[in-house]
Amino acid sequence: MPEPMNAQLDTGLPGGAEAGAAEYSLGLMPKAEIAAFEAQLAVDTDLQQDVAAWTEYFASFTDIIPAETPPPQVLRRIEGQVFGAEDRRPVWRQVLPYLVGAVAGAAIAWVVLTSGLLETQAPTLGADLAGAEGLALDARFAPATGVLTVTLRQGDAGEGHVLELWLLPEDGAPVSLALLRGAETLVAVPPALAERMDGARLVVSEEQPGGAPDGRPSGDPRAEGVLVEE
């Protein structure tokens, strides 16, 4: 695994040095490489952090784009300037503005679909993870970006241990999402799992520094909660 980006550059950009993480976040990764990348993403927590950081970074670019709604009289003014006050116009002149509008609309739609700037934002999902031993965390999942943000509000792992976050599906084996090593952790959730996050049960366990050795939570959960629409 290459060194994290902030170990090589002083630009302050988020994510890791792997170009694949940035390409995947932008949707520019070649189709032939996506399956292998997502397979690695599902098990590599460092790569998940890279993708999450790049996704947040690129999404911030849209914050400066103001919303604009053209006034309804624009088309009438354009028709008046182009055709003047003629009472009768050839059919092609009547149709031309609509053809121009259709072409322009198709071009704008292509830009929107390929860039994702104006995608409808799905509601954020949230969960308060708590346990009997005083451990408390907040989990917020943004379906639009596929990023799960976990914030530690109270408590911590015991000495020599680390907290690990799990997704417990109703059927199937537990899925490790990330090791929670700091106050806030960003997790890039693979698309296959992102579709199952609404109503998903999240569990936090206490594990050895490298994570659960057998691929499932060790002992009783330290905290748990269910993601619901906020």
Side-chain angles (χ1 to χ4, degrees):
M1 179 80 184
E3 292 293 330
M5 176 174 287
N6 55 18
Q8 296 181 359
L9 302 175
D10 295 328
T11 59
L13 296 176
E18 297 183 63
E23 289 181 337
Y24 184 80
S25 300
L26 286 171
L28 299 178
M29 178 171 286
K31 291 183 178 180
E33 300 176 15
I34 291 178
F37 184 87
E38 290 184 346
Q40 178 67 19
L41 184 64
V43 297
D44 190 335
T45 56
D46 289 333
L47 185 57
Q48 292 170 7
Q49 304 259 346
D50 287 343
V51 171
W54 276 116
T55 300
E56 290 289 309
Y57 177 70
F58 290 131
S60 68
F61 289 173
T62 64
D63 295 340
I64 63 174
I65 301 177
E68 290 287 346
T69 302
Q73 64 270 25
V74 169
L75 179 59
R76 294 196 297 271
R77 289 179 180 175
I78 293 175
E79 290 177 336
Q81 292 178 6
V82 173
F83 302 111
E86 294 180 359
D87 293 331
R88 302 188 63 179
R89 294 172 290 170
V91 174
W92 69 269
R93 278 191 152 188
Q94 299 178 34
V95 175
L96 180 60
Y98 302 101
L99 292 177
V100 172
V103 172
I108 294 173
W110 180 83
V111 172
V112 170
L113 290 175
T114 55
S115 66
L117 292 179
L118 300 180
E119 290 181 356
T120 302
Q121 300 296 309
T124 300
L125 304 178
D128 295 327
L129 311 180
E133 300 178 7
L135 186 66
L137 309 94
D138 291 330
R140 297 294 178 268
F141 178 66
T145 61
V147 175
L148 175 67
T149 303
V150 183
T151 304
L152 180 63
R153 290 191 289 108
Q154 180 178 320
D156 205 346
E159 184 176 354
H161 291 75
V162 66
L163 298 176
E164 187 165 0
L165 179 67
W166 302 82
L167 170 67
L168 267 61
E170 294 183 359
D171 53 349
V175 179
S176 175
L177 295 178
L179 297 179
L180 308 178
R181 301 185 185 276
E184 183 175 89
T185 303
L186 298 180
V187 183
V189 180
L193 291 180
E195 298 175 354
R196 305 163 60 186
M197 295 299 281
D198 191 1
R201 180 187 176 200
L202 300 179
V203 167
V204 177
S205 65
E206 185 171 300
E207 308 293 345
Q208 298 298 318
D214 56 358
R216 56 191 315 111
S218 302
D220 295 330
R222 287 286 311 275
E224 60 182 298
V226 175
L227 282 171
V228 296
E229 184 176 319
E230 294 187 319

